[in-house]
């Protein structure tokens, strides 16, 4: 399956930690050339160093996905470095917790700027490159929160529902032109986001989150990365417009 990812140019946003970082390591191990992108340069450079130490190929490009100018620069740098773009994993995102009655306009704008505009603007600039090449693969990071409601998470829930909608819309718009667009919808995963979400890793909050998953545990970042590699690979050549839950059974309940 991963044989088809060898020498592919793969761009990952939010790759300085968590699911993005784990995916960057997994793509590099499969022989892909990885553009590791994020806002934090030292962390991004550390991911690149880890890949290179293991014999892989990667480059860090700093970008805030809420800023379109950063995205155009990111894609310019991708082309200048590797001359093409085969796979884009639009993964950067932020959580937001709080009752609906306390959300400010600024909270809403910030979460939507990163989680929704960040994904849309990324696709806006990735797709023309893929069209010129005759095809490509896009994977967006949604969430179980993109498929169901939950209390005290309305802005995040709405933003991830929007990612699901954008994924379907883009898939249909470009299906006949050789671009596959899918999403991955993780359940709880052990990352910095989950630590923040559980109030700094509060053991009681983590135990309660664990128990919400039928497998009675939280996922590991690599358990999301591998399904992302599958969606990016030729093994998924007939899959487009879908959002794959990777959630330890959460959504089956
Ligand atoms: N951890 C979970 O339980 C979980 C569950 C479902 C979905 N997700 C989604 O997975 C994705 C990755 O999150 P994670 O769990 O690895 O947490 P994380 O906090 O480790 O990773 C998020 C990454 O996005 C980056 N980022 C945030 N804002 C950005 C911006 N404006 N521009 C560029 N990069 C930015 C962060 O710096 C970080 O590297 C997110 O989209 C998140 O919503 C996470």
């Amino acid at each position: 399956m991963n044989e088809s990812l060898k020498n592919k140019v793969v761009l990952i946003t939010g790759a300085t930690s968590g699911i993005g970082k784990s995916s960057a390591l997994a793509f590099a191990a499969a022989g892909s050339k990885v553009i590791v992108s994020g806002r934090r340069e030292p962390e991004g450079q550390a991911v690149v160093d880890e890949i290179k130490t293991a014999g892989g190929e990667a480059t860090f490009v700093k970008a805030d996905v809420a800023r379109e100018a950063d995205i155009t620069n990111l894609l310019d740098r991708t082309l200048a470095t590797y001359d093409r773009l085969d796979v884009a994993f639009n993964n950067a995102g932020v959580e937001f917790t709080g009752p609906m009655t306390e959300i400010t306009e600024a909270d809403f704008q910030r979460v939507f700027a990163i989680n929704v505009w960040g994904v849309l603007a990324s696709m806006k600039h990735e797709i023309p490159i893929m069209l010129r090449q005759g095809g490509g693969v896009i994977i967006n990071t949604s969430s179980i929160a993109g498929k169901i409601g939950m209390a005290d998470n309305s802005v995040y829930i709405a933003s991830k529902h929007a990612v699901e909608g954008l994924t379907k819309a883009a898939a249909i718009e470009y299906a006949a032109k050789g671009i596959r667009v899918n999403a991955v919808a993780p359940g709880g995963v052990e990352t910095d986001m989950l630590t923040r979400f559980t109030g700094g890793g509060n053991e009681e909050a983590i135990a309660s989150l664990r128990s919400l998953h039928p497998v009675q545990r939280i996922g590991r970042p690599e358990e999301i990365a591998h399904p992302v590699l599958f969606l990016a690979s030729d093994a998924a050549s007939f899959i487009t417009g879908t959002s794959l839950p990777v959630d330890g059974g959460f959504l089956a309940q």
Side-chain angles (χ1 to χ4, degrees):
M1 166 188 109
N2 289 351
E3 194 54 34
S4 66
L5 298 172
K6 207 164 187 262
N7 291 320
K8 291 280 163 68
V9 176
V10 178
L11 164 63
I12 306 177
T13 66
T16 52
S17 60
I19 293 167
K21 174 181 175 180
S22 184
S23 302
L25 298 174
F27 273 110
S32 303
K33 298 168 185 164
V34 185
I35 296 277
V36 172
S37 184
R39 293 166 306 175
R40 297 172 294 171
E41 196 148 2
E43 285 84 349
Q45 202 49 58
V47 176
V48 167
D49 292 346
E50 193 173 334
I51 287 172
K52 289 193 166 163
T53 303
E57 173 59 37
T59 303
F60 175 72
V61 180
K62 187 173 170 160
D64 177 340
V65 297
R67 299 162 57 97
E68 190 168 10
D70 280 19
I71 292 176
T72 54
N73 178 60
L74 170 59
L75 289 156
D76 287 349
R77 290 277 312 279
T78 301
L79 292 182
T81 310
Y82 296 123
D83 209 28
R84 54 185 295 115
L85 175 65
D86 298 296
V87 176
F89 181 27
N90 301 317
N91 165 73
V94 287
E95 75 287 2
F96 186 82
T97 309
M100 200 177 273
T101 50
E102 288 172 18
I103 290 159
T104 67
E105 186 174 347
D107 294 334
F108 175 85
Q109 302 287 13
R110 185 179 66 85
V111 175
F112 267 65
I114 298 168
N115 292 8
V116 184
W117 172 242
V119 168
L120 175 54
S122 296
M123 291 200 290
K124 172 181 168 181
H125 293 286
E126 293 156 358
I127 286 167
I129 298 170
M130 292 178 174
L131 288 175
R132 282 201 298 278
Q133 290 170 183
V137 183
I138 295 174
I139 298 135
N140 298 321
T141 303
S142 176
S143 166
I144 51 173
K147 296 175 183 288
I148 54 170
M150 291 174 196
D152 296 335
N153 281 283
S154 57
V155 178
Y156 185 70
I157 297 262
S159 74
K160 291 299 185 180
H161 275 70
V163 171
E164 296 266 321
L166 288 171
T167 300
K168 288 185 214 167
I172 291 169
E173 215 164 310
Y174 298 100
K177 299 196 168 125
I179 302 177
R180 294 191 296 108
V181 186
N182 292 294
V184 66
V189 185
E190 283 166 17
T191 66
D192 296 348
M193 180 177 288
L194 191 100
T195 305
R196 292 189 299 269
F197 184 76
T198 53
N202 173 278
E203 194 37 56
E204 210 174 304
I206 293 178
S208 135
L209 191 62
R210 220 180 266 138
S211 71
L212 291 173
H213 294 72
V215 294
Q216 298 299 309
R217 68 177 181 87
I218 286 161
R220 296 183 300 275
E222 63 271 22
E223 292 180 299
I224 311 303
H226 291 125
V228 169
L229 263 70
F230 161 67
L231 287 173
S233 76
D234 287 353
S237 54
F238 201 51
I239 303 181
T240 196
T242 199
S243 169
L244 178 67
V246 186
D247 65 351
F250 191 107
L251 291 169
Q253 298 172 100

